Amino acid sequence: MDITGLTQIFATSMYGALGLIALWGMYCVATIWARVAQKRFRNEDQQDAFLDAVEEPLERGDFKEASEICESDPRALPQLAYLAIENREIGYSQVKQLVVERFQRDVLADLDHRISWVNTVIKGAPMVGLLGTVTGMMGAFAKLAAAEKVDAGAMASDISLALITTALGLVIAIPLTFCLNSINIRIRKMEDLVAVGLTRFMGNLREAIATEAMHDLEEVQPVSSSK
């Protein structure tokens, strides 16, 4: 059975498959990069400026103003601070646990999901390229077996075209590997920065909650004593 026609079509289709894989990998990398940039402060000074702005109304016990400052900022720390302020009635310990869980679920889990696609592209692209090479080689040797006279030039050309798919798979995977390492470094820096910011903010929030509770107690005690 002559399979040279089928193998040539299949091997050629690998070029299209590799092109789609490359586009998907670049899209995922760009999406993760933009997502991290959206959720992090560029440096600790910017984060400290935000915390200073929130700390002032918290010291006055003005939770509404502090909440408004956080609500309009899409970055991870302000949104977590907003969540903590809005749920302060459940108690400091539970608020702290809630904030950590939401950071893990809404920010880190989303990034992990997108990173898993990049890892799939990095591992899959060379394999798809190798599949194209194997298929092309099968066609080349099938053509050689059916030919009465061997044309070394044509044979070399067929093998060269088959090997290109493996090279393309590596060309896709290698740059994405470097991009993924860079993204992981940015994510770790974001985690460290958010952890530092949350430690400072939760300390301020705990003091503000304690002060509010003390004021509420002072308002109740005169009423009780007058009775």
Side-chain angles (χ1 to χ4, degrees), residues 28-42 74-76 107-108 110-112 114-115 180 182-191 193-194:
C28 290
V29 167
T31 302
I32 298 170
W33 197 273
R35 181 75 170 169
V36 174
Q38 181 189 33
K39 292 297 180 181
R40 68 189 285 265
F41 287 93
R42 289 189 176 181
R75 288 171 286 198
V107 180
L108 296 183
D110 176 64
L111 291 174
D112 286 341
R114 298 173 190 272
I115 285 174
L180 186 59
S182 178
I183 286 172
N184 285 327
I185 291 172
R186 287 170 64 87
I187 292 175
R188 285 197 295 270
K189 287 183 178 179
M190 180 186 71
E191 287 186 71
L193 201 59
V194 169

PDB file of all heavy atoms in Angstrom, residues 28-42 74-76 107-108 110-112 114-115 180 182-191 193-194:
ATOM      1  N   CYS A  28      -1.037  32.899  25.997  1.00  0.00           N
ATOM      2  CA  CYS A  28      -1.053  32.575  27.431  1.00  0.00           C
ATOM      3  C   CYS A  28       0.021  33.353  28.183  1.00  0.00           C
ATOM      4  O   CYS A  28      -0.230  33.877  29.277  1.00  0.00           O
ATOM      5  CB  CYS A  28      -0.851  31.070  27.632  1.00  0.00           C
ATOM      6  SG  CYS A  28      -2.246  30.052  27.109  1.00  0.00           S
ATOM      7  N   VAL A  29       1.211  33.448  27.604  1.00  0.00           N
ATOM      8  CA  VAL A  29       2.294  34.201  28.247  1.00  0.00           C
ATOM      9  C   VAL A  29       1.917  35.678  28.384  1.00  0.00           C
ATOM     10  O   VAL A  29       2.102  36.293  29.443  1.00  0.00           O
ATOM     11  CB  VAL A  29       3.605  34.046  27.450  1.00  0.00           C
ATOM     12  CG1 VAL A  29       4.641  35.072  27.909  1.00  0.00           C
ATOM     13  CG2 VAL A  29       4.159  32.647  27.612  1.00  0.00           C
ATOM     14  N   ALA A  30       1.366  36.256  27.301  1.00  0.00           N
ATOM     15  CA  ALA A  30       0.972  37.665  27.344  1.00  0.00           C
ATOM     16  C   ALA A  30      -0.136  37.895  28.377  1.00  0.00           C
ATOM     17  O   ALA A  30      -0.128  38.903  29.101  1.00  0.00           O
ATOM     18  CB  ALA A  30       0.499  38.117  25.966  1.00  0.00           C
ATOM     19  N   THR A  31      -1.060  36.951  28.465  1.00  0.00           N
ATOM     20  CA  THR A  31      -2.159  37.077  29.425  1.00  0.00           C
ATOM     21  C   THR A  31      -1.645  37.018  30.859  1.00  0.00           C
ATOM     22  O   THR A  31      -2.055  37.815  31.719  1.00  0.00           O
ATOM     23  CB  THR A  31      -3.195  35.958  29.201  1.00  0.00           C
ATOM     24  OG1 THR A  31      -3.673  36.023  27.863  1.00  0.00           O
ATOM     25  CG2 THR A  31      -4.370  36.105  30.149  1.00  0.00           C
ATOM     26  N   ILE A  32      -0.745  36.080  31.132  1.00  0.00           N
ATOM     27  CA  ILE A  32      -0.189  35.970  32.486  1.00  0.00           C
ATOM     28  C   ILE A  32       0.608  37.216  32.840  1.00  0.00           C
ATOM     29  O   ILE A  32       0.495  37.750  33.948  1.00  0.00           O
ATOM     30  CB  ILE A  32       0.701  34.717  32.598  1.00  0.00           C
ATOM     31  CG1 ILE A  32      -0.113  33.449  32.356  1.00  0.00           C
ATOM     32  CG2 ILE A  32       1.364  34.649  33.967  1.00  0.00           C
ATOM     33  CD1 ILE A  32       0.727  32.197  32.218  1.00  0.00           C
ATOM     34  N   TRP A  33       1.400  37.675  31.903  1.00  0.00           N
ATOM     35  CA  TRP A  33       2.228  38.870  32.144  1.00  0.00           C
ATOM     36  C   TRP A  33       1.336  40.070  32.483  1.00  0.00           C
ATOM     37  O   TRP A  33       1.617  40.814  33.431  1.00  0.00           O
ATOM     38  CB  TRP A  33       3.074  39.164  30.916  1.00  0.00           C
ATOM     39  CG  TRP A  33       4.224  40.085  31.175  1.00  0.00           C
ATOM     40  CD1 TRP A  33       4.205  41.448  31.140  1.00  0.00           C
ATOM     41  CD2 TRP A  33       5.563  39.720  31.508  1.00  0.00           C
ATOM     42  NE1 TRP A  33       5.442  41.950  31.431  1.00  0.00           N
ATOM     43  CE2 TRP A  33       6.300  40.910  31.660  1.00  0.00           C
ATOM     44  CE3 TRP A  33       6.202  38.497  31.680  1.00  0.00           C
ATOM     45  CZ2 TRP A  33       7.641  40.908  31.982  1.00  0.00           C
ATOM     46  CZ3 TRP A  33       7.549  38.501  32.007  1.00  0.00           C
ATOM     47  CH2 TRP A  33       8.255  39.698  32.156  1.00  0.00           C
ATOM     48  N   ALA A  34       0.259  40.237  31.705  1.00  0.00           N
ATOM     49  CA  ALA A  34      -0.660  41.352  31.959  1.00  0.00           C
ATOM     50  C   ALA A  34      -1.388  41.179  33.286  1.00  0.00           C
ATOM     51  O   ALA A  34      -1.623  42.146  34.019  1.00  0.00           O
ATOM     52  CB  ALA A  34      -1.671  41.457  30.817  1.00  0.00           C
ATOM     53  N   ARG A  35      -1.741  39.942  33.606  1.00  0.00           N
ATOM     54  CA  ARG A  35      -2.451  39.654  34.859  1.00  0.00           C
ATOM     55  C   ARG A  35      -1.589  39.977  36.065  1.00  0.00           C
ATOM     56  O   ARG A  35      -2.050  40.581  37.037  1.00  0.00           O
ATOM     57  CB  ARG A  35      -2.856  38.179  34.881  1.00  0.00           C
ATOM     58  CG  ARG A  35      -3.629  37.745  36.107  1.00  0.00           C
ATOM     59  CD  ARG A  35      -5.040  38.231  36.069  1.00  0.00           C
ATOM     60  NE  ARG A  35      -5.827  37.601  37.131  1.00  0.00           N
ATOM     61  CZ  ARG A  35      -7.041  38.003  37.457  1.00  0.00           C
ATOM     62  NH1 ARG A  35      -7.629  38.988  36.816  1.00  0.00           N
ATOM     63  NH2 ARG A  35      -7.699  37.390  38.430  1.00  0.00           N
ATOM     64  N   VAL A  36      -0.325  39.575  36.014  1.00  0.00           N
ATOM     65  CA  VAL A  36       0.590  39.861  37.120  1.00  0.00           C
ATOM     66  C   VAL A  36       0.797  41.370  37.249  1.00  0.00           C
ATOM     67  O   VAL A  36       0.797  41.922  38.359  1.00  0.00           O
ATOM     68  CB  VAL A  36       1.935  39.137  36.924  1.00  0.00           C
ATOM     69  CG1 VAL A  36       2.934  39.560  37.991  1.00  0.00           C
ATOM     70  CG2 VAL A  36       1.736  37.631  36.966  1.00  0.00           C
ATOM     71  N   ALA A  37       0.968  42.047  36.112  1.00  0.00           N
ATOM     72  CA  ALA A  37       1.154  43.502  36.144  1.00  0.00           C
ATOM     73  C   ALA A  37      -0.058  44.201  36.726  1.00  0.00           C
ATOM     74  O   ALA A  37       0.064  45.230  37.406  1.00  0.00           O
ATOM     75  CB  ALA A  37       1.433  44.017  34.729  1.00  0.00           C
ATOM     76  N   GLN A  38      -1.254  43.652  36.467  1.00  0.00           N
ATOM     77  CA  GLN A  38      -2.489  44.248  36.983  1.00  0.00           C
ATOM     78  C   GLN A  38      -2.631  44.052  38.490  1.00  0.00           C
ATOM     79  O   GLN A  38      -3.215  44.898  39.170  1.00  0.00           O
ATOM     80  CB  GLN A  38      -3.687  43.619  36.276  1.00  0.00           C
ATOM     81  CG  GLN A  38      -5.034  44.186  36.714  1.00  0.00           C
ATOM     82  CD  GLN A  38      -6.195  43.386  36.156  1.00  0.00           C
ATOM     83  OE1 GLN A  38      -6.098  42.179  35.979  1.00  0.00           O
ATOM     84  NE2 GLN A  38      -7.284  44.055  35.864  1.00  0.00           N
ATOM     85  N   LYS A  39      -2.087  42.965  39.020  1.00  0.00           N
ATOM     86  CA  LYS A  39      -2.325  42.602  40.414  1.00  0.00           C
ATOM     87  C   LYS A  39      -1.221  43.026  41.376  1.00  0.00           C
ATOM     88  O   LYS A  39      -1.394  42.906  42.584  1.00  0.00           O
ATOM     89  CB  LYS A  39      -2.514  41.077  40.525  1.00  0.00           C
ATOM     90  CG  LYS A  39      -3.796  40.573  39.879  1.00  0.00           C
ATOM     91  CD  LYS A  39      -5.027  41.151  40.560  1.00  0.00           C
ATOM     92  CE  LYS A  39      -6.310  40.674  39.951  1.00  0.00           C
ATOM     93  NZ  LYS A  39      -7.503  41.257  40.597  1.00  0.00           N
ATOM     94  N   ARG A  40      -0.109  43.518  40.872  1.00  0.00           N
ATOM     95  CA  ARG A  40       0.999  43.826  41.768  1.00  0.00           C
ATOM     96  C   ARG A  40       1.364  45.298  41.727  1.00  0.00           C
ATOM     97  O   ARG A  40       1.100  46.007  40.751  1.00  0.00           O
ATOM     98  CB  ARG A  40       2.236  42.995  41.387  1.00  0.00           C
ATOM     99  CG  ARG A  40       2.837  43.398  40.051  1.00  0.00           C
ATOM    100  CD  ARG A  40       3.918  42.433  39.605  1.00  0.00           C
ATOM    101  NE  ARG A  40       5.147  42.586  40.325  1.00  0.00           N
ATOM    102  CZ  ARG A  40       6.175  43.322  39.904  1.00  0.00           C
ATOM    103  NH1 ARG A  40       6.097  43.981  38.759  1.00  0.00           N
ATOM    104  NH2 ARG A  40       7.276  43.410  40.602  1.00  0.00           N
ATOM    105  N   PHE A  41       1.946  45.775  42.833  1.00  0.00           N
ATOM    106  CA  PHE A  41       2.586  47.080  42.841  1.00  0.00           C
ATOM    107  C   PHE A  41       3.967  46.945  42.203  1.00  0.00           C
ATOM    108  O   PHE A  41       4.621  45.913  42.346  1.00  0.00           O
ATOM    109  CB  PHE A  41       2.726  47.605  44.268  1.00  0.00           C
ATOM    110  CG  PHE A  41       1.436  48.071  44.881  1.00  0.00           C
ATOM    111  CD1 PHE A  41       0.665  47.215  45.646  1.00  0.00           C
ATOM    112  CD2 PHE A  41       0.992  49.360  44.681  1.00  0.00           C
ATOM    113  CE1 PHE A  41      -0.520  47.630  46.211  1.00  0.00           C
ATOM    114  CE2 PHE A  41      -0.193  49.796  45.236  1.00  0.00           C
ATOM    115  CZ  PHE A  41      -0.957  48.936  46.006  1.00  0.00           C
ATOM    116  N   ARG A  42       4.406  47.986  41.538  1.00  0.00           N
ATOM    117  CA  ARG A  42       5.700  47.903  40.855  1.00  0.00           C
ATOM    118  C   ARG A  42       6.859  47.787  41.833  1.00  0.00           C
ATOM    119  O   ARG A  42       7.868  47.145  41.539  1.00  0.00           O
ATOM    120  CB  ARG A  42       5.896  49.132  39.963  1.00  0.00           C
ATOM    121  CG  ARG A  42       4.998  49.149  38.741  1.00  0.00           C
ATOM    122  CD  ARG A  42       5.382  50.266  37.804  1.00  0.00           C
ATOM    123  NE  ARG A  42       4.580  50.236  36.585  1.00  0.00           N
ATOM    124  CZ  ARG A  42       4.719  51.088  35.571  1.00  0.00           C
ATOM    125  NH1 ARG A  42       5.655  52.034  35.630  1.00  0.00           N
ATOM    126  NH2 ARG A  42       3.954  50.989  34.510  1.00  0.00           N
ATOM    127  N   PRO A  74      -7.626  47.946  41.462  1.00  0.00           N
ATOM    128  CA  PRO A  74      -7.791  46.538  41.066  1.00  0.00           C
ATOM    129  C   PRO A  74      -6.652  45.621  41.502  1.00  0.00           C
ATOM    130  O   PRO A  74      -6.735  44.407  41.283  1.00  0.00           O
ATOM    131  CB  PRO A  74      -7.842  46.628  39.532  1.00  0.00           C
ATOM    132  CG  PRO A  74      -7.003  47.805  39.203  1.00  0.00           C
ATOM    133  CD  PRO A  74      -7.219  48.791  40.326  1.00  0.00           C
ATOM    134  N   ARG A  75      -5.601  46.150  42.100  1.00  0.00           N
ATOM    135  CA  ARG A  75      -4.475  45.314  42.479  1.00  0.00           C
ATOM    136  C   ARG A  75      -4.839  44.399  43.649  1.00  0.00           C
ATOM    137  O   ARG A  75      -5.824  44.615  44.353  1.00  0.00           O
ATOM    138  CB  ARG A  75      -3.267  46.183  42.800  1.00  0.00           C
ATOM    139  CG  ARG A  75      -2.649  46.801  41.543  1.00  0.00           C
ATOM    140  CD  ARG A  75      -1.586  47.835  41.836  1.00  0.00           C
ATOM    141  NE  ARG A  75      -2.173  49.073  42.324  1.00  0.00           N
ATOM    142  CZ  ARG A  75      -1.535  50.243  42.341  1.00  0.00           C
ATOM    143  NH1 ARG A  75      -0.295  50.311  41.873  1.00  0.00           N
ATOM    144  NH2 ARG A  75      -2.121  51.319  42.803  1.00  0.00           N
ATOM    145  N   ALA A  76      -4.031  43.355  43.824  1.00  0.00           N
ATOM    146  CA  ALA A  76      -4.380  42.290  44.768  1.00  0.00           C
ATOM    147  C   ALA A  76      -4.488  42.804  46.201  1.00  0.00           C
ATOM    148  O   ALA A  76      -5.486  42.533  46.885  1.00  0.00           O
ATOM    149  CB  ALA A  76      -3.334  41.175  44.677  1.00  0.00           C
ATOM    150  N   VAL A 107      -6.287  34.827  42.901  1.00  0.00           N
ATOM    151  CA  VAL A 107      -5.082  35.348  42.229  1.00  0.00           C
ATOM    152  C   VAL A 107      -4.132  34.224  41.855  1.00  0.00           C
ATOM    153  O   VAL A 107      -3.861  33.978  40.676  1.00  0.00           O
ATOM    154  CB  VAL A 107      -4.366  36.388  43.118  1.00  0.00           C
ATOM    155  CG1 VAL A 107      -3.116  36.907  42.410  1.00  0.00           C
ATOM    156  CG2 VAL A 107      -5.297  37.544  43.458  1.00  0.00           C
ATOM    157  N   LEU A 108      -3.636  33.501  42.846  1.00  0.00           N
ATOM    158  CA  LEU A 108      -2.617  32.489  42.578  1.00  0.00           C
ATOM    159  C   LEU A 108      -3.174  31.297  41.797  1.00  0.00           C
ATOM    160  O   LEU A 108      -2.521  30.790  40.879  1.00  0.00           O
ATOM    161  CB  LEU A 108      -2.001  32.016  43.896  1.00  0.00           C
ATOM    162  CG  LEU A 108      -1.238  33.082  44.692  1.00  0.00           C
ATOM    163  CD1 LEU A 108      -0.620  32.468  45.934  1.00  0.00           C
ATOM    164  CD2 LEU A 108      -0.167  33.744  43.843  1.00  0.00           C
ATOM    165  N   ASP A 110      -5.662  31.276  39.718  1.00  0.00           N
ATOM    166  CA  ASP A 110      -5.902  31.701  38.337  1.00  0.00           C
ATOM    167  C   ASP A 110      -4.598  31.725  37.545  1.00  0.00           C
ATOM    168  O   ASP A 110      -4.547  31.273  36.392  1.00  0.00           O
ATOM    169  CB  ASP A 110      -6.549  33.086  38.340  1.00  0.00           C
ATOM    170  CG  ASP A 110      -6.737  33.647  36.940  1.00  0.00           C
ATOM    171  OD1 ASP A 110      -7.509  33.043  36.171  1.00  0.00           O
ATOM    172  OD2 ASP A 110      -6.111  34.669  36.614  1.00  0.00           O
ATOM    173  N   LEU A 111      -3.528  32.223  38.164  1.00  0.00           N
ATOM    174  CA  LEU A 111      -2.227  32.255  37.494  1.00  0.00           C
ATOM    175  C   LEU A 111      -1.696  30.839  37.273  1.00  0.00           C
ATOM    176  O   LEU A 111      -1.123  30.547  36.221  1.00  0.00           O
ATOM    177  CB  LEU A 111      -1.236  33.074  38.320  1.00  0.00           C
ATOM    178  CG  LEU A 111      -1.512  34.580  38.393  1.00  0.00           C
ATOM    179  CD1 LEU A 111      -0.553  35.246  39.363  1.00  0.00           C
ATOM    180  CD2 LEU A 111      -1.418  35.224  37.026  1.00  0.00           C
ATOM    181  N   ASP A 112      -1.885  29.959  38.254  1.00  0.00           N
ATOM    182  CA  ASP A 112      -1.437  28.573  38.097  1.00  0.00           C
ATOM    183  C   ASP A 112      -2.147  27.896  36.933  1.00  0.00           C
ATOM    184  O   ASP A 112      -1.543  27.102  36.194  1.00  0.00           O
ATOM    185  CB  ASP A 112      -1.687  27.785  39.389  1.00  0.00           C
ATOM    186  CG  ASP A 112      -0.707  28.148  40.486  1.00  0.00           C
ATOM    187  OD1 ASP A 112       0.352  28.711  40.157  1.00  0.00           O
ATOM    188  OD2 ASP A 112      -1.002  27.875  41.664  1.00  0.00           O
ATOM    189  N   ARG A 114      -3.312  29.311  34.219  1.00  0.00           N
ATOM    190  CA  ARG A 114      -2.759  29.819  32.957  1.00  0.00           C
ATOM    191  C   ARG A 114      -1.344  29.290  32.727  1.00  0.00           C
ATOM    192  O   ARG A 114      -0.959  28.992  31.591  1.00  0.00           O
ATOM    193  CB  ARG A 114      -2.768  31.351  32.971  1.00  0.00           C
ATOM    194  CG  ARG A 114      -4.177  31.952  33.088  1.00  0.00           C
ATOM    195  CD  ARG A 114      -4.120  33.453  33.278  1.00  0.00           C
ATOM    196  NE  ARG A 114      -5.419  34.012  33.626  1.00  0.00           N
ATOM    197  CZ  ARG A 114      -6.337  34.402  32.752  1.00  0.00           C
ATOM    198  NH1 ARG A 114      -6.082  34.291  31.459  1.00  0.00           N
ATOM    199  NH2 ARG A 114      -7.489  34.908  33.143  1.00  0.00           N
ATOM    200  N   ILE A 115      -0.567  29.177  33.798  1.00  0.00           N
ATOM    201  CA  ILE A 115       0.791  28.651  33.676  1.00  0.00           C
ATOM    202  C   ILE A 115       0.774  27.202  33.218  1.00  0.00           C
ATOM    203  O   ILE A 115       1.657  26.758  32.462  1.00  0.00           O
ATOM    204  CB  ILE A 115       1.537  28.798  35.018  1.00  0.00           C
ATOM    205  CG1 ILE A 115       1.926  30.269  35.231  1.00  0.00           C
ATOM    206  CG2 ILE A 115       2.786  27.925  35.058  1.00  0.00           C
ATOM    207  CD1 ILE A 115       2.539  30.544  36.587  1.00  0.00           C
ATOM    208  N   LEU A 180       8.512  31.644  30.821  1.00  0.00           N
ATOM    209  CA  LEU A 180       7.840  31.083  31.987  1.00  0.00           C
ATOM    210  C   LEU A 180       8.681  31.260  33.245  1.00  0.00           C
ATOM    211  O   LEU A 180       8.146  31.567  34.324  1.00  0.00           O
ATOM    212  CB  LEU A 180       7.547  29.602  31.754  1.00  0.00           C
ATOM    213  CG  LEU A 180       6.713  28.909  32.832  1.00  0.00           C
ATOM    214  CD1 LEU A 180       5.361  29.578  32.993  1.00  0.00           C
ATOM    215  CD2 LEU A 180       6.527  27.437  32.491  1.00  0.00           C
ATOM    216  N   SER A 182      10.762  33.691  33.805  1.00  0.00           N
ATOM    217  CA  SER A 182      10.643  35.105  34.146  1.00  0.00           C
ATOM    218  C   SER A 182       9.307  35.398  34.829  1.00  0.00           C
ATOM    219  O   SER A 182       9.238  36.156  35.802  1.00  0.00           O
ATOM    220  CB  SER A 182      10.785  35.957  32.881  1.00  0.00           C
ATOM    221  OG  SER A 182      10.623  37.325  33.167  1.00  0.00           O
ATOM    222  N   ILE A 183       8.248  34.782  34.326  1.00  0.00           N
ATOM    223  CA  ILE A 183       6.917  34.970  34.928  1.00  0.00           C
ATOM    224  C   ILE A 183       6.895  34.426  36.350  1.00  0.00           C
ATOM    225  O   ILE A 183       6.340  35.053  37.268  1.00  0.00           O
ATOM    226  CB  ILE A 183       5.844  34.282  34.060  1.00  0.00           C
ATOM    227  CG1 ILE A 183       5.609  35.092  32.785  1.00  0.00           C
ATOM    228  CG2 ILE A 183       4.535  34.130  34.830  1.00  0.00           C
ATOM    229  CD1 ILE A 183       4.724  34.393  31.779  1.00  0.00           C
ATOM    230  N   ASN A 184       7.473  33.258  36.567  1.00  0.00           N
ATOM    231  CA  ASN A 184       7.495  32.675  37.912  1.00  0.00           C
ATOM    232  C   ASN A 184       8.243  33.560  38.900  1.00  0.00           C
ATOM    233  O   ASN A 184       7.847  33.678  40.068  1.00  0.00           O
ATOM    234  CB  ASN A 184       8.134  31.283  37.871  1.00  0.00           C
ATOM    235  CG  ASN A 184       7.202  30.239  37.287  1.00  0.00           C
ATOM    236  OD1 ASN A 184       5.988  30.315  37.453  1.00  0.00           O
ATOM    237  ND2 ASN A 184       7.765  29.244  36.609  1.00  0.00           N
ATOM    238  N   ILE A 185       9.306  34.208  38.429  1.00  0.00           N
ATOM    239  CA  ILE A 185      10.042  35.136  39.293  1.00  0.00           C
ATOM    240  C   ILE A 185       9.161  36.324  39.660  1.00  0.00           C
ATOM    241  O   ILE A 185       9.114  36.757  40.822  1.00  0.00           O
ATOM    242  CB  ILE A 185      11.333  35.605  38.592  1.00  0.00           C
ATOM    243  CG1 ILE A 185      12.321  34.442  38.481  1.00  0.00           C
ATOM    244  CG2 ILE A 185      11.977  36.766  39.355  1.00  0.00           C
ATOM    245  CD1 ILE A 185      13.537  34.747  37.636  1.00  0.00           C
ATOM    246  N   ARG A 186       8.424  36.864  38.690  1.00  0.00           N
ATOM    247  CA  ARG A 186       7.528  37.989  38.949  1.00  0.00           C
ATOM    248  C   ARG A 186       6.418  37.596  39.926  1.00  0.00           C
ATOM    249  O   ARG A 186       6.038  38.380  40.802  1.00  0.00           O
ATOM    250  CB  ARG A 186       6.920  38.489  37.642  1.00  0.00           C
ATOM    251  CG  ARG A 186       7.890  39.257  36.764  1.00  0.00           C
ATOM    252  CD  ARG A 186       7.308  39.505  35.384  1.00  0.00           C
ATOM    253  NE  ARG A 186       6.135  40.343  35.429  1.00  0.00           N
ATOM    254  CZ  ARG A 186       6.141  41.678  35.407  1.00  0.00           C
ATOM    255  NH1 ARG A 186       7.307  42.313  35.341  1.00  0.00           N
ATOM    256  NH2 ARG A 186       5.034  42.368  35.432  1.00  0.00           N
ATOM    257  N   ILE A 187       5.911  36.386  39.779  1.00  0.00           N
ATOM    258  CA  ILE A 187       4.843  35.931  40.676  1.00  0.00           C
ATOM    259  C   ILE A 187       5.371  35.788  42.100  1.00  0.00           C
ATOM    260  O   ILE A 187       4.699  36.173  43.072  1.00  0.00           O
ATOM    261  CB  ILE A 187       4.240  34.612  40.172  1.00  0.00           C
ATOM    262  CG1 ILE A 187       3.474  34.843  38.873  1.00  0.00           C
ATOM    263  CG2 ILE A 187       3.314  34.007  41.223  1.00  0.00           C
ATOM    264  CD1 ILE A 187       2.940  33.589  38.221  1.00  0.00           C
ATOM    265  N   ARG A 188       6.564  35.225  42.253  1.00  0.00           N
ATOM    266  CA  ARG A 188       7.145  35.080  43.590  1.00  0.00           C
ATOM    267  C   ARG A 188       7.387  36.442  44.231  1.00  0.00           C
ATOM    268  O   ARG A 188       7.154  36.627  45.431  1.00  0.00           O
ATOM    269  CB  ARG A 188       8.449  34.282  43.521  1.00  0.00           C
ATOM    270  CG  ARG A 188       8.240  32.783  43.302  1.00  0.00           C
ATOM    271  CD  ARG A 188       9.491  32.002  43.641  1.00  0.00           C
ATOM    272  NE  ARG A 188      10.580  32.337  42.735  1.00  0.00           N
ATOM    273  CZ  ARG A 188      10.821  31.702  41.598  1.00  0.00           C
ATOM    274  NH1 ARG A 188      10.029  30.719  41.201  1.00  0.00           N
ATOM    275  NH2 ARG A 188      11.842  32.036  40.833  1.00  0.00           N
ATOM    276  N   LYS A 189       7.850  37.399  43.437  1.00  0.00           N
ATOM    277  CA  LYS A 189       8.052  38.754  43.963  1.00  0.00           C
ATOM    278  C   LYS A 189       6.721  39.363  44.384  1.00  0.00           C
ATOM    279  O   LYS A 189       6.634  40.048  45.412  1.00  0.00           O
ATOM    280  CB  LYS A 189       8.734  39.632  42.903  1.00  0.00           C
ATOM    281  CG  LYS A 189      10.211  39.317  42.687  1.00  0.00           C
ATOM    282  CD  LYS A 189      10.825  40.264  41.677  1.00  0.00           C
ATOM    283  CE  LYS A 189      12.306  39.995  41.497  1.00  0.00           C
ATOM    284  NZ  LYS A 189      12.920  40.918  40.492  1.00  0.00           N
ATOM    285  N   MET A 190       5.674  39.125  43.585  1.00  0.00           N
ATOM    286  CA  MET A 190       4.348  39.635  43.933  1.00  0.00           C
ATOM    287  C   MET A 190       3.858  39.012  45.239  1.00  0.00           C
ATOM    288  O   MET A 190       3.312  39.706  46.104  1.00  0.00           O
ATOM    289  CB  MET A 190       3.359  39.340  42.812  1.00  0.00           C
ATOM    290  CG  MET A 190       1.946  39.836  43.100  1.00  0.00           C
ATOM    291  SD  MET A 190       0.736  39.330  41.853  1.00  0.00           S
ATOM    292  CE  MET A 190       0.633  37.559  42.208  1.00  0.00           C
ATOM    293  N   GLU A 191       4.046  37.695  45.391  1.00  0.00           N
ATOM    294  CA  GLU A 191       3.635  37.024  46.625  1.00  0.00           C
ATOM    295  C   GLU A 191       4.358  37.619  47.832  1.00  0.00           C
ATOM    296  O   GLU A 191       3.731  37.875  48.878  1.00  0.00           O
ATOM    297  CB  GLU A 191       3.932  35.531  46.528  1.00  0.00           C
ATOM    298  CG  GLU A 191       3.019  34.766  45.606  1.00  0.00           C
ATOM    299  CD  GLU A 191       3.280  33.267  45.664  1.00  0.00           C
ATOM    300  OE1 GLU A 191       2.952  32.644  46.696  1.00  0.00           O
ATOM    301  OE2 GLU A 191       3.834  32.730  44.692  1.00  0.00           O
ATOM    302  N   LEU A 193       5.706  40.596  48.140  1.00  0.00           N
ATOM    303  CA  LEU A 193       5.277  41.971  48.370  1.00  0.00           C
ATOM    304  C   LEU A 193       3.893  42.012  49.006  1.00  0.00           C
ATOM    305  O   LEU A 193       3.645  42.796  49.937  1.00  0.00           O
ATOM    306  CB  LEU A 193       5.287  42.730  47.041  1.00  0.00           C
ATOM    307  CG  LEU A 193       5.356  44.268  47.111  1.00  0.00           C
ATOM    308  CD1 LEU A 193       6.616  44.691  47.856  1.00  0.00           C
ATOM    309  CD2 LEU A 193       5.365  44.858  45.705  1.00  0.00           C
ATOM    310  N   VAL A 194       2.993  41.172  48.514  1.00  0.00           N
ATOM    311  CA  VAL A 194       1.643  41.123  49.086  1.00  0.00           C
ATOM    312  C   VAL A 194       1.692  40.632  50.529  1.00  0.00           C
ATOM    313  O   VAL A 194       0.965  41.141  51.395  1.00  0.00           O
ATOM    314  CB  VAL A 194       0.731  40.214  48.236  1.00  0.00           C
ATOM    315  CG1 VAL A 194      -0.583  39.937  48.956  1.00  0.00           C
ATOM    316  CG2 VAL A 194       0.442  40.862  46.891  1.00  0.00           C
TER     317      VAL A 194
END
